[in-house]
Amino acid sequence: MKRPKLRKASKRLTCHKRYKIQKKVRTEHHRKVRKEAKKRGRKKPKKDPGVPSTAPFKEQLLREAEQRKQRLEELKQKQKLNRQKEHEKKRKLEAKKNAKIKEKAEGKVIEASDVVLEVLDARDPMGCRCPQLEEAVTCSGGGKKLVLVLNKIDLVPKENLEKWLNYLKKEFPTVAFKSATLMKDKTLVRALQAVFQLSHTECLGTKCLLKILQEYGKTLNKAIQVGVVGFPNVGKSSIINSLKGARACNVGLTRGVTKSMQIVHTDKHTKMLDSPSIIADPSNSALALALRSIIDTEESDSADLLEGIHAILSHCNKQQVIMRYSIPDFENTEEFLALLAQKRGMLKKGGVPDIENITKVLLCDWTGARISYYSQPPESQTLPPYLTEDKIAEMQECFNLKNLEEENNNTVQALKCPSPANSIIFQSAGMANGTIVIEEESEWENLETSKEEETEEEEEENFTESDDDPDNLEEEMDVEEVNQGFIRLLLPV
Ligand SMILES: Nc1nc2c(ncn2[C@@H]2O[C@H](COP(=O)(O)OP(=O)(O)OP(=O)(O)O)[C@@H](O)[C@H]2O)c(=O)[nH]1
């Protein structure tokens, strides 16, 4: 009797049959791949077999090939030169355009102001001075005054600051200033100011600056307009905010935050005019362009940015740079950037250092609020050609210079400064040529708000400002630091 089938028949094949099928699949696949490659055309370039040694006129053929190669290279070189020439032409055209706008725009801010505050970064005061601006104010007639505001004094050693104050006061009345850099969340700021007296919110020199402006207003017997002018990121808006005691103007790590002219009333008799920064002239040195020009994240040429970093590094003490950034010794700028990108975790796919981004971050760092470096004033006082002894006396007239010196001394005493050992020595490139560019049709934007509007704005600000906004990065970091400090202080020790 036949046994009933309990299970399904097994699908097992003999090895011979299985290998045969596998081989067939493989050859089919190869055939298909070859066919497709043939359809697409050859991908690999054919290897040049060279000239066989038996060929007649071999030497002549080789010479001709060499000549062809040379001609091709010459052509490439020519094209490169042409491109460079065009680039240069474009730059010159832009400079001319800026110079044309300058005549009108410069007139606008200077014309509108009774006093012009030229804001200088205390780390490189000479590099922030713009001869075109100083000449325009001192030679404008009409009794306009120019006052230098030495801002970011918290980033240079005390002795260096004193040297600069001594140097600059011989040319223009100079005020030492430290702006309040934490002015985002006003409620938090007020609370912290009241409880912990945090240095970020603390500004120094406000009393002194307001006093000299008010005194000048009194001598003129009218409300005065004060133009705040300077290169990008020197702290123009921060100074106005500090004088106002509130965040009236936008402040940011990136350069060129202020895009239009703005009016802020600090008191009944003083109107501050915040203006977009002076545009550095393309004829400036690479160092001046690196520190004083606006970095456009989309348009800036990465070769120019790299040249900028190279210029900064070559004007610094290498050992101090290595210590400041805690990186190993480096041979050149590219290596420095690669090491720093690795240290900061700025890597692209495959762990490749993101040189482009680290370059931009670094350039912002050098005009921002963190890196401490300092330059020395010139050994002897040489007046710029537009500044005579008479002009100096005219600029100092109506100001109580003795009082100003005392106030500056008080500011210096109250200041917490980095020691020279924690600061990088830097060699300035000297004054930077520039033009004040404001669009012809641009109007003054009145930022004066009523108290109610201010509180509304405040609430809105706290909700609308994106946490990811790179412009607010620093302020965010500060808030975070503050919060951490806050928590630390609240925790039991
Ligand atoms: N440490 C320190 N940082 C400051 C001081 N003043 C301003 N800053 C910082 O410098 C950066 C630039 O300040 P802004 O007030 O935006 O400078 P600005 O000149 O108005 O800049 P633009 O609008 O780009 O021309 C910001 O990150 C500020 O927080 C200061 O006295 N000390």
Side-chain angles (χ1 to χ4, degrees):
M1 202 180 91
K2 208 179 171 189
R3 267 215 249 145
K5 250 186 186 177
L6 293 177
R7 284 195 298 166
K8 271 188 190 172
S10 164
K11 282 184 185 169
R12 280 180 86 172
L13 299 172
T14 60
C15 286
H16 171 74
K17 217 170 181 182
R18 200 167 69 234
Y19 293 147
K20 212 172 155 188
I21 293 169
Q22 280 174 357
K23 195 176 168 190
K24 202 174 169 195
V25 170
R26 232 176 8 237
T27 43
E28 277 298 318
H29 171 75
H30 287 314
R31 192 175 297 145
K32 204 172 151 192
V33 170
R34 259 193 319 241
K35 228 175 159 182
E36 270 172 17
K38 211 175 171 185
K39 255 193 220 167
R40 265 187 271 123
R42 238 172 203 284
K43 245 194 169 180
K44 262 191 189 172
K46 261 190 181 174
K47 200 181 158 192
D48 182 10
V51 185
S53 13
T54 50
F57 315 116
K58 180 180 174 178
E59 277 190 5
Q60 195 186 336
L61 283 175
L62 283 176
R63 231 180 293 130
E64 272 174 16
E66 191 62 36
Q67 279 168 356
R68 256 203 310 276
K69 212 171 152 187
Q70 256 182 8
R71 254 180 275 141
L72 205 73
E73 246 165 48
E74 273 169 22
L75 198 75
K76 268 189 192 168
Q77 200 67 24
K78 248 189 194 172
Q79 280 173 343
K80 200 177 160 187
L81 275 175
N82 280 348
R83 266 203 307 273
Q84 275 175 351
K85 267 186 195 167
E86 263 177 38
H87 197 65
E88 197 63 31
K89 243 188 194 175
K90 237 182 174 178
R91 268 191 178 185
K92 276 184 188 163
L93 262 175
E94 256 174 45
K96 263 190 194 169
K97 214 169 109 190
N98 285 349
K100 266 188 195 168
I101 302 169
K102 171 201 157 192
E103 281 164 22
K104 286 183 181 166
E106 215 170 49
K108 257 190 167 178
V109 187
I110 296 165
E111 227 174 72
S113 315
D114 299 297
V115 182
V116 175
L117 301 183
E118 187 181 16
V119 184
L120 313 176
D121 188 325
R123 296 171 288 185
D124 179 18
M126 205 51 113
C128 296
R129 282 181 68 177
C130 174
Q132 286 77 17
L133 167 77
E134 291 182 5
E135 189 174 3
V137 180
T138 49
C139 303
S140 67
K144 289 186 198 301
K145 304 283 176 199
L146 190 126
V147 173
L148 301 179
V149 182
L150 201 56
N151 190 36
K152 306 196 188 184
I153 53 172
D154 54 316
L155 298 174
V156 295
K158 219 169 244 187
E159 312 82 73
N160 182 255
L161 171 63
E162 280 164 346
K163 276 189 202 167
W164 272 112
L165 284 172
N166 272 334
Y167 182 89
L168 295 170
K169 76 175 184 193
K170 288 177 191 145
E171 295 184 22
F172 293 104
T174 308
V175 180
F177 206 92
K178 184 222 169 281
S179 307
T181 52
L182 182 74
M183 278 208 162
K184 189 180 175 188
D185 186 339
K186 286 182 218 166
T187 337
L188 177 67
V189 168
R190 270 183 221 131
L192 291 168
Q193 250 176 342
V195 183
F196 304 114
Q197 291 162 4
L198 238 122
S199 65
H200 287 86
T201 59
E202 206 173 70
C203 39
L204 293 168
T206 29
K207 213 177 94 196
C208 171
L209 187 53
L210 281 174
K211 203 167 155 190
I212 66 161
L213 292 177
Q214 281 160 359
E215 274 174 8
Y216 184 61
K218 270 184 199 160
T219 57
L220 291 189
N221 206 13
K222 64 164 192 169
I224 54 163
Q225 310 219 72
V226 182
V228 184
V229 190
F231 280 103
N233 244 11
V234 287
K236 301 178 289 298
S237 305
S238 301
I239 290 175
I240 295 180
N241 289 346
S242 304
L243 293 178
K244 172 91 180 156
R247 194 172 186 259
C249 306
N250 267 342
V251 169
L253 254 189
T254 42
R255 304 180 195 175
V257 170
T258 313
K259 300 271 191 300
S260 61
M261 301 183 283
Q262 299 163 341
I263 303 177
V264 178
H265 294 247
T266 48
D267 59 55
K268 259 194 268 170
H269 308 290
T270 323
K271 243 191 237 175
M272 307 297 294
L273 313 178
D274 191 9
S275 62
S277 44
I278 301 173
I279 301 281
D281 205 273
S283 63
N284 280 312
S285 64
L287 179 67
L289 287 177
L291 291 175
R292 308 289 156 234
S293 50
I294 292 172
I295 304 165
D296 192 323
T297 29
E298 261 121 52
E299 279 177 30
S300 294
D301 189 351
S302 53
D304 284 349
L305 298 182
L306 200 73
E307 199 188 332
I309 298 286
H310 180 72
I312 292 176
L313 288 180
S314 52
H315 284 78
C316 289
N317 181 313
K318 192 179 171 190
Q319 280 315 313
Q320 287 179 333
V321 172
I322 290 173
M323 295 244 288
R324 170 65 184 77
Y325 288 104
S326 317
I327 51 166
D329 195 3
F330 53 89
E331 283 287 312
N332 49 39
T333 311
E334 284 85 352
E335 197 184 340
F336 165 75
L337 289 169
L339 287 168
L340 198 62
Q342 265 163 0
K343 178 132 204 301
R344 294 197 179 175
M346 292 181 76
L347 304 171
K348 287 203 272 195
K349 255 187 191 171
V352 183
D354 190 348
I355 301 292
E356 207 170 301
N357 272 329
I358 191 75
T359 310
K360 284 172 192 163
V361 169
L362 207 73
L363 284 174
C364 282
D365 265 8
W366 273 71
T367 52
R370 285 176 181 266
I371 305 268
S372 163
Y373 60 92
Y374 65 99
S375 58
Q376 295 290 359
E379 273 171 20
S380 61
Q381 192 107 20
T382 16
L383 293 180
Y386 49 84
L387 210 57
T388 57
E389 292 296 337
D390 288 347
K391 284 263 180 260
I392 295 175
E394 193 188 318
M395 288 296 128
Q396 292 176 342
E397 214 182 300
C398 305
F399 292 118
N400 187 340
L401 297 178
K402 226 177 167 190
N403 245 341
L404 177 60
E405 200 170 335
E406 261 173 40
E407 293 278 1
N408 276 340
N409 283 341
N410 292 343
T411 305
V412 176
Q413 292 306 319
L415 192 69
K416 268 188 212 152
C417 286
S419 72
N422 292 328
S423 205
I424 299 172
I425 302 171
F426 172 79
Q427 257 194 325
S428 173
M431 287 193 186
N433 293 322
T435 49
I436 307 172
V437 177
I438 300 164
E439 288 141 33
E440 281 172 51
E441 288 98 39
S442 67
E443 293 285 326
W444 291 102
E445 192 183 326
N446 200 335
L447 293 187
E448 193 50 25
T449 45
S450 67
K451 279 269 174 243
E452 277 167 32
E453 274 173 334
E454 216 173 79
T455 39
E456 259 173 41
E457 226 176 58
E458 228 171 75
E459 281 160 17
E460 222 170 73
E461 197 179 86
N462 294 342
F463 284 106
T464 52
E465 264 169 339
S466 153
D467 283 345
D468 298 327
D469 188 355
D471 290 2
N472 296 320
L473 191 68
E474 189 196 349
E475 276 70 29
E476 245 100 68
M477 288 194 293
D478 287 342
V479 173
E480 214 171 279
E481 277 175 17
V482 171
N483 286 339
Q484 277 169 10
F486 197 84
I487 292 161
R488 238 179 280 135
L489 283 160
L490 291 177
L491 283 172
V493 186

